Amino acid sequence: MGKIVYLMGKSSSGKDTIYKKLLEQNDIRLQKIVPYTTRPIRAEEQDGVEYHFTDEDGYQELLKKGEVIEARIYHTCHGIWRYFTVADKEIDLSMQSYLVIGTLEAYEKIRIFYGKENVIPVMIELDDGVRLQRALDREKAQDHPKYEEMCRRFLADAEDFSEERMKSAGITQTFYNGELEQCLEKIMEYIKKYGA
């Protein structure tokens, strides 16, 4: 039986890098679940790789079809942005294990939908000062930097990933991403332990 490895963490904690590294591993074969968003695509992103990019009409259509498992809405400085997971017909836990990045709130809904025993939480942590510098560097590289949104996300993370919320979601183990290879090695051991 396959599992869903659910990767979480505050913004700029290194989730995207860890995600890519996990997909490259040969001893655990994880397929990606690509989430959806209505936010604008960033300069370095490709549709269908990091996210499926859509608009509000696309979201409403999937919602009407009953295909949206979970959805989050963010009132940003640039309008409403949605992030959501779709019940993709290609997801077959009897054949394969999967990897997805998301929020703590989304993790809880995915766990309800697919069953607690089938979802492995992987929470990434990193020093707030390092995260803030990474976020600033990333935003500077954009054609049209959105610094206000970067700050909003950074502040929202403190609430979204509070100790109380993590405890309530049953997150008992975290992985500190101070040194990428060591962090990745610990995550791999953890994933194998739970049968992905």
Side-chain angles (χ1 to χ4, degrees), residues 35-94:
Y36 287 65
T37 186
T38 61
R39 77 152 165 78
I41 191 168
R42 293 181 182 146
E44 73 279 3
E45 293 176 324
Q46 293 179 355
D47 186 33
V49 177
E50 292 85 6
Y51 291 96
H52 293 291
F53 293 92
T54 187
D55 57 15
E56 184 63 22
D57 289 341
Y59 168 76
Q60 292 298 334
E61 186 175 323
L62 289 165
L63 191 63
K64 284 178 189 172
K65 291 180 182 176
E67 296 179 4
V68 176
I69 298 172
E70 61 81 27
R72 289 141 283 133
I73 187 168
Y74 297 95
H75 298 274
T76 76
C77 303
H78 305 281
I80 291 174
W81 292 353
R82 294 185 190 274
Y83 292 81
F84 54 102
T85 307
V86 172
D88 194 323
K89 295 172 185 162
E90 295 179 10
I91 299 172
D92 183 355
L93 292 179
S94 68

Side-chain angles (χ1 to χ4, degrees), residues 101-140:
I101 297 178
T103 65
L104 190 56
E105 179 185 353
Y107 158 73
E108 292 178 292
K109 291 178 181 175
I110 292 290
R111 189 173 63 163
I112 291 167
F113 188 86
Y114 287 105
K116 181 179 178 179
E117 68 282 359
N118 295 319
V119 184
I120 303 170
V122 176
M123 179 68 72
I124 308 300
E125 291 192 318
L126 186 62
D127 175 77
D128 284 345
V130 175
R131 289 191 316 103
L132 186 56
Q133 187 61 57
R134 285 182 180 179
L136 183 59
D137 292 343
R138 181 175 68 189
E139 209 55 45
K140 281 182 183 178

